């Protein structure tokens, strides 16, 4: 199981803070495709991804127990 | 706990106290506050949301980057989360260094890095609506899906 977290406008679009995905050995790009299809979120191409709290890219492999977070452009400070 | 998020109002002096050092000749303090008007549009209040565990890690990373660039530096950063009104303090950055120039430069570096890599978002509430703000230019997204490698790793 892979935990997926949403923040800011993505949380509003997803209608939830987190979901779980069954499986193992996906790339981040595949996770994005699955979420785009399942939840109808079209803007994942323009956000960053973190895997286990470190920035990742589309080729990063996601394994059982990992946490994937989609990080819209940040606006702290 | 030099790098933290706070749901309660930030005590500015408490952040400064964390960087007091006998070897320091300067402490610079940056206080980010909630502005009422942006490009003529009146803000009523803001909500700051964070990916809290990662945000603290990224603040710590900024601290490490500063220690590498400016020797003998002490840094403390507290960022507020939750609902903030106009003039409320959103972030406090305190930096102490042996000499003043480094204290100014390192403090400036810290706020610019926060705006690049720390997962904190603000939602602006106006009289006529609300919106998650993408970044300071209100443009959307990173063309490659994330900041470039040099942005993240300094």
């Amino acid at each position: 199981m892979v935990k997926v977290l949403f923040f800011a406008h993505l949380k509003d679009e997803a209608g939830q803070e987190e979901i779980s995905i069954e499986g193992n050995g996906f790339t981040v790009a595949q996770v994005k495709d699955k979420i785009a299809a399942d939840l109808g979120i079209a803007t994942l191409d323009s956000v960053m991804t973190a895997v286990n709290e470190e920035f990742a890219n589309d080729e990063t492999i996601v394994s059982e127990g990992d946490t994937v977070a989609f990080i819209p452009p940040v606006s702290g400070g | 706990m030099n790098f933290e998020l706070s749901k309660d109002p930030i005590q500015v002096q408490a952040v400064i106290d964390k960087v007091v050092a006998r070897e320091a000749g300067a402490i610079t303090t940056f206080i980010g506050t909630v502005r009422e008007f942006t490009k003529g549009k009146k803000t009523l209040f803001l909500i700051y949301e964070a990916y809290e565990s990662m945000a603290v890690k990224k603040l710590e990373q900024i601290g490490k980057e500063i220690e590498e660039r400016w020797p003998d530096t002490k840094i403390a950063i507290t960022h507020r989360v939750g609902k903030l009104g106009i003039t409320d303090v959103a972030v406090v950055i305190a930096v102490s260094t042996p000499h003043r120039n480094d204290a100014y430069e390192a403090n400036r570096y810290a706020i610019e890095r926060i705006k690049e890599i720390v997962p904190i978002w603000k939602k602006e509430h106006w009289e006529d609506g609300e919106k998650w703000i993408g970044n300071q230019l209100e443009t959307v997204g990173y063309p490659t899906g994330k900041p470039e490698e040099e942005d993240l790793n300094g």
Side-chain angles (χ1 to χ4, degrees), chain A residues 27-29 32 49 51 55-61, chain B residues 144 146 149:
Chain A
T27 63
V28 164
K32 285 184 178 179
T49 308
V51 176
F55 287 109
N57 57 42
D58 279 350
E59 291 76 44
T60 302
I61 301 293
Chain B
T144 59
K146 65 189 189 86
E149 212 62 38

Side-chain angles (χ1 to χ4, degrees), chain B:
Chain B
M1 297 277 280
N2 276 33
F3 303 93
E4 51 187 12
L5 303 180
S6 175
K7 293 181 175 64
D8 301 315
I10 301 170
Q11 302 302 316
V12 178
Q13 187 62 48
V15 181
I16 296 170
D17 288 347
K18 293 176 186 175
V19 304
V20 170
R22 298 182 75 87
E23 58 269 37
I27 297 176
T28 53
T29 307
F30 174 83
I31 304 172
T33 58
V34 177
R35 179 175 54 237
E36 182 168 29
F37 284 94
T38 297
K39 294 176 190 162
K41 203 162 186 179
K42 183 176 180 172
T43 298
L44 301 178
F45 63 92
L46 299 180
I47 304 282
Y48 277 104
E49 174 183 304
Y51 180 7
E52 298 198 7
S53 52
M54 183 173 170
V56 170
K57 276 191 187 175
K58 290 291 138 186
L59 291 174
E60 289 169 348
Q61 176 185 326
I62 293 169
K64 288 197 190 85
E65 290 174 3
I66 288 173
E67 285 166 10
E68 285 166 12
R69 283 173 173 71
W70 292 278
D72 305 315
T73 298
K74 286 188 187 301
I75 310 112
I77 304 173
T78 301
H79 200 295
R80 185 84 186 275
V81 291
K83 182 176 177 179
L84 279 75
I86 307 306
T87 76
D88 281 355
V89 174
V91 61
V92 176
I93 304 167
V95 175
S96 73
T97 59
H99 300 284
R100 69 182 179 282
N101 192 52
D102 286 353
Y104 277 111
E105 285 185 4
N107 201 308
R108 178 66 189 263
Y109 178 87
I111 187 64
E112 301 304 334
R113 288 296 274 161
I114 286 172
K115 289 172 182 292
E116 288 171 351
I117 66 165
V118 181
I120 298 174
W121 302 271
K122 71 176 169 188
K123 191 178 204 176
E124 294 250 11
H125 290 255
W126 302 295
E127 285 161 320
D128 59 349
E130 59 186 46
K131 186 185 169 202
W132 285 107
I133 303 302
N135 60 28
Q136 300 304 311
L137 300 173
E138 297 194 29
T139 55
V140 174
Y142 298 89
T144 59
K146 65 189 189 86
E148 301 304 327
E149 212 62 38
E150 64 266 25
D151 294 335
L152 298 178
N153 300 326

